[in-house]
mmCIF file of all heavy atoms in Angstrom:
data_model
loop_
_atom_site.group_PDB
_atom_site.id
_atom_site.type_symbol
_atom_site.label_atom_id
_atom_site.label_comp_id
_atom_site.label_asym_id
_atom_site.label_seq_id
_atom_site.Cartn_x
_atom_site.Cartn_y
_atom_site.Cartn_z
ATOM 1 N N GLY A 18 -0.344 10.694 2.056
ATOM 2 C CA GLY A 18 -1.112 11.826 2.562
ATOM 3 C C GLY A 18 -0.351 12.578 3.636
ATOM 4 O O GLY A 18 -0.333 13.816 3.653
ATOM 5 N N LEU A 19 0.294 11.841 4.534
ATOM 6 C CA LEU A 19 1.104 12.487 5.578
ATOM 7 C C LEU A 19 2.294 13.229 4.982
ATOM 8 O O LEU A 19 2.646 14.323 5.441
ATOM 9 C CB LEU A 19 1.585 11.441 6.590
ATOM 10 C CG LEU A 19 0.513 10.867 7.512
ATOM 11 C CD1 LEU A 19 1.076 9.699 8.316
ATOM 12 C CD2 LEU A 19 -0.024 11.941 8.440
ATOM 13 N N ILE A 20 2.895 12.639 3.970
ATOM 14 C CA ILE A 20 4.022 13.312 3.309
ATOM 15 C C ILE A 20 3.535 14.596 2.634
ATOM 16 O O ILE A 20 4.163 15.649 2.753
ATOM 17 C CB ILE A 20 4.699 12.373 2.290
ATOM 18 C CG1 ILE A 20 5.432 11.249 3.024
ATOM 19 C CG2 ILE A 20 5.678 13.149 1.402
ATOM 20 C CD1 ILE A 20 5.937 10.138 2.121
ATOM 21 N N GLY A 21 2.406 14.500 1.939
ATOM 22 C CA GLY A 21 1.883 15.670 1.236
ATOM 23 C C GLY A 21 1.430 16.784 2.159
ATOM 24 O O GLY A 21 1.654 17.963 1.881
ATOM 25 N N LEU A 22 0.797 16.424 3.261
ATOM 26 C CA LEU A 22 0.260 17.446 4.165
ATOM 27 C C LEU A 22 1.275 17.974 5.170
ATOM 28 O O LEU A 22 1.296 19.168 5.473
ATOM 29 C CB LEU A 22 -0.945 16.875 4.927
ATOM 30 C CG LEU A 22 -2.178 16.578 4.093
ATOM 31 C CD1 LEU A 22 -3.218 15.836 4.930
ATOM 32 C CD2 LEU A 22 -2.768 17.853 3.529
ATOM 33 N N PHE A 23 2.091 17.074 5.688
ATOM 34 C CA PHE A 23 2.955 17.450 6.813
ATOM 35 C C PHE A 23 4.450 17.208 6.591
ATOM 36 O O PHE A 23 5.250 17.400 7.503
ATOM 37 C CB PHE A 23 2.528 16.678 8.071
ATOM 38 C CG PHE A 23 1.080 16.847 8.411
ATOM 39 C CD1 PHE A 23 0.196 15.790 8.300
ATOM 40 C CD2 PHE A 23 0.593 18.079 8.834
ATOM 41 C CE1 PHE A 23 -1.144 15.941 8.614
ATOM 42 C CE2 PHE A 23 -0.746 18.234 9.153
ATOM 43 C CZ PHE A 23 -1.615 17.163 9.041
ATOM 44 N N LYS A 24 4.819 16.726 5.386
ATOM 45 C CA LYS A 24 6.205 16.364 5.096
ATOM 46 C C LYS A 24 6.734 15.364 6.127
ATOM 47 O O LYS A 24 7.852 15.454 6.596
ATOM 48 C CB LYS A 24 7.106 17.597 5.048
ATOM 49 C CG LYS A 24 6.753 18.561 3.946
ATOM 50 C CD LYS A 24 7.702 19.733 3.932
ATOM 51 C CE LYS A 24 7.295 20.710 2.859
ATOM 52 N NZ LYS A 24 8.174 21.870 2.820
ATOM 53 N N PHE A 25 5.869 14.403 6.484
ATOM 54 C CA PHE A 25 6.214 13.403 7.492
ATOM 55 C C PHE A 25 6.034 12.012 6.904
ATOM 56 O O PHE A 25 4.931 11.620 6.519
ATOM 57 C CB PHE A 25 5.318 13.561 8.730
ATOM 58 C CG PHE A 25 5.576 12.541 9.801
ATOM 59 C CD1 PHE A 25 6.753 12.566 10.516
ATOM 60 C CD2 PHE A 25 4.643 11.563 10.069
ATOM 61 C CE1 PHE A 25 7.005 11.616 11.502
ATOM 62 C CE2 PHE A 25 4.876 10.611 11.044
ATOM 63 C CZ PHE A 25 6.056 10.638 11.766
ATOM 64 N N ASP A 26 7.116 11.264 6.819
ATOM 65 C CA ASP A 26 7.101 9.904 6.294
ATOM 66 C C ASP A 26 6.951 8.939 7.464
ATOM 67 O O ASP A 26 7.914 8.653 8.178
ATOM 68 C CB ASP A 26 8.390 9.633 5.518
ATOM 69 C CG ASP A 26 8.447 8.239 4.940
ATOM 70 O OD1 ASP A 26 7.478 7.477 5.086
ATOM 71 O OD2 ASP A 26 9.485 7.919 4.331
ATOM 72 N N LEU A 27 5.745 8.443 7.680
ATOM 73 C CA LEU A 27 5.461 7.570 8.817
ATOM 74 C C LEU A 27 6.226 6.252 8.721
ATOM 75 O O LEU A 27 6.797 5.792 9.704
ATOM 76 C CB LEU A 27 3.954 7.300 8.919
ATOM 77 C CG LEU A 27 3.507 6.410 10.074
ATOM 78 C CD1 LEU A 27 3.842 7.073 11.407
ATOM 79 C CD2 LEU A 27 2.021 6.127 9.974
ATOM 80 N N VAL A 28 6.249 5.642 7.549
ATOM 81 C CA VAL A 28 6.956 4.372 7.380
ATOM 82 C C VAL A 28 8.445 4.562 7.646
ATOM 83 O O VAL A 28 9.068 3.776 8.367
ATOM 84 C CB VAL A 28 6.706 3.781 5.977
ATOM 85 C CG1 VAL A 28 7.573 2.566 5.726
ATOM 86 C CG2 VAL A 28 5.238 3.429 5.796
ATOM 87 N N GLY A 29 9.020 5.600 7.071
ATOM 88 C CA GLY A 29 10.433 5.892 7.313
ATOM 89 C C GLY A 29 10.715 6.172 8.776
ATOM 90 O O GLY A 29 11.722 5.722 9.335
ATOM 91 N N TRP A 30 9.825 6.887 9.407
ATOM 92 C CA TRP A 30 10.003 7.224 10.826
ATOM 93 C C TRP A 30 9.936 5.979 11.703
ATOM 94 O O TRP A 30 10.726 5.816 12.626
ATOM 95 C CB TRP A 30 8.937 8.236 11.247
ATOM 96 C CG TRP A 30 9.012 8.650 12.668
ATOM 97 C CD1 TRP A 30 9.914 9.503 13.236
ATOM 98 C CD2 TRP A 30 8.136 8.223 13.726
ATOM 99 N NE1 TRP A 30 9.654 9.637 14.577
ATOM 100 C CE2 TRP A 30 8.561 8.857 14.906
ATOM 101 C CE3 TRP A 30 7.048 7.385 13.769
ATOM 102 C CZ2 TRP A 30 7.930 8.666 16.118
ATOM 103 C CZ3 TRP A 30 6.410 7.191 14.978
ATOM 104 C CH2 TRP A 30 6.864 7.832 16.137
ATOM 105 N N LEU A 31 8.988 5.097 11.402
ATOM 106 C CA LEU A 31 8.823 3.889 12.211
ATOM 107 C C LEU A 31 9.971 2.903 12.039
ATOM 108 O O LEU A 31 10.329 2.195 12.977
ATOM 109 C CB LEU A 31 7.515 3.186 11.856
ATOM 110 C CG LEU A 31 6.231 3.837 12.334
ATOM 111 C CD1 LEU A 31 5.025 3.082 11.781
ATOM 112 C CD2 LEU A 31 6.176 3.869 13.844
#
Side-chain angles (χ1 to χ4, degrees):
L19 289 171
I20 290 170
L22 292 172
F23 305 112
K24 297 182 182 179
F25 178 69
D26 180 3
L27 181 63
V28 172
W30 180 75
L31 287 175

